[in-house]
Amino acid sequence: MLEIFSNSVLQSFLFSPLMGVVFGALFAGLSARPSAAATITVVETRRVFIERTRVNRRSQSDGGEVFGVAILMAFVVWKYLQFAPEVLAYIQMALISMTAFGLTCFFMSAIKGHFTSSDWFVRVAVPTAILVLCLMVLAIAKQKITPDLVALAQNNHITKFFTSLTQYGRYLVISHVLGVCLLVLVAIINTLNLLHYLSLMNQRNYSSTSNVWFFLTRITFRFSGKGAYIVTALFFTLSFLLVSGKIALWITQ
């Protein structure tokens, strides 16, 4: 117990999954088993929800100068590498919490009898599995950031840092940062996707918390459906190729 209170690393690996378990139990375990009159499939439940609300879609696009973006990207990469071990540790804690949340929701939903069709099972199991895969890609990202690379960024200004790297090294650090950003985005999209279907699942029976589930379903609606899986597959594959250094290797070759 004394070690838990004094060791911040031990605290993070204990409380991160614990938070995921607690929230997963709250989201998947507080609602009652769906009644015989409740909708069975995901499609039927989504159709009922869509009839109750109206979703407005807007798209925005922003442009910028290529040179300015390049300078900003170089600065972000340089500063990131100075604190990469700490940044990756925080991302790992967040991913562990998200994964624990997904696993808890999956098991609680199974116990409560929410999987009334195979669609519900898939819509909860797939995002949870992807979160597990995100942890595996993050492990690869941590291996690529060596102590000498961190020291080089910490002990040199931005110009000297990039000139000290080989061509492959420059492409590697840039692709690494882009890959980690995409990995975080994939984790967020899948967590919101999971949250959407859990909220939708809990609306099949009326309860005192129905308005809360309706609100959560509405704000996460954009992250649901087949489009979210297509985006996830694309971003996850690209993240793996960037983080592992394969794209940097292809470019330099």
Side-chain angles (χ1 to χ4, degrees), residues 17-197:
L18 183 61
M19 288 174 60
V21 170
V22 170
F23 282 105
L26 289 175
F27 275 95
L30 290 181
S31 56
R33 179 187 179 92
S35 64
T39 55
I40 296 177
T41 66
V42 174
V43 175
E44 291 171 344
T45 310
R46 279 173 60 84
R47 186 181 297 117
V48 172
F49 170 77
I50 292 172
E51 290 173 355
R52 293 174 56 195
T53 186
R54 179 181 180 181
V55 179
N56 297 317
R57 299 183 179 273
R58 298 181 299 175
S59 61
Q60 297 178 349
S61 60
D62 296 321
E65 295 293 336
V66 175
F67 180 76
V69 172
I71 295 297
L72 179 61
M73 185 65 191
F75 178 78
V76 169
V77 170
W78 174 60
K79 294 302 292 184
Y80 163 81
L81 288 173
Q82 294 179 4
F83 305 97
E86 292 82 1
V87 172
L88 293 175
Y90 281 115
I91 294 175
Q92 183 179 33
M93 285 188 289
L95 282 178
I96 291 174
S97 182
M98 291 176 183
T99 305
F101 171 76
L103 291 172
T104 304
C105 288
F106 177 82
F107 288 115
M108 290 299 295
S109 296
I111 293 171
K112 299 286 285 187
H114 286 299
F115 295 143
T116 53
S117 72
S118 58
D119 276 352
W120 290 114
F121 176 86
V122 171
R123 299 300 175 98
V124 176
V126 170
T128 303
I130 292 174
L131 289 172
V132 175
L133 292 176
C134 286
L135 279 171
M136 299 173 65
V137 174
L138 184 67
I140 297 175
K142 294 177 69 175
Q143 292 176 354
K144 294 295 181 179
I145 302 301
T146 56
D148 56 335
L149 186 60
V150 175
L152 184 66
Q154 291 175 343
N155 299 328
N156 295 280
H157 55 75
I158 183 171
T159 304
K160 188 174 181 180
F161 168 72
F162 277 100
T163 54
S164 301
L165 297 174
T166 62
Q167 184 184 27
Y168 169 75
R170 287 191 288 270
Y171 283 120
L172 177 64
V173 294
I174 293 173
S175 63
H176 173 88
V177 173
L178 292 174
V180 170
C181 291
L182 283 177
L183 186 67
V184 172
L185 185 59
V186 167
I188 293 173
I189 290 175
N190 277 272
T191 302
L192 293 174
N193 189 6
L194 178 62
L195 182 59
H196 172 80
Y197 285 104

Side-chain angles (χ1 to χ4, degrees), residues 208-235:
S208 58
T209 59
S210 293
N211 290 334
V212 176
W213 297 125
F214 178 81
F215 172 75
L216 290 174
T217 307
R218 180 168 59 84
I219 63 176
T220 57
F221 190 88
R222 293 176 181 271
F223 300 95
S224 63
K226 295 180 180 178
Y229 291 109
I230 295 174
V231 171
T232 294
L234 178 63
F235 283 2

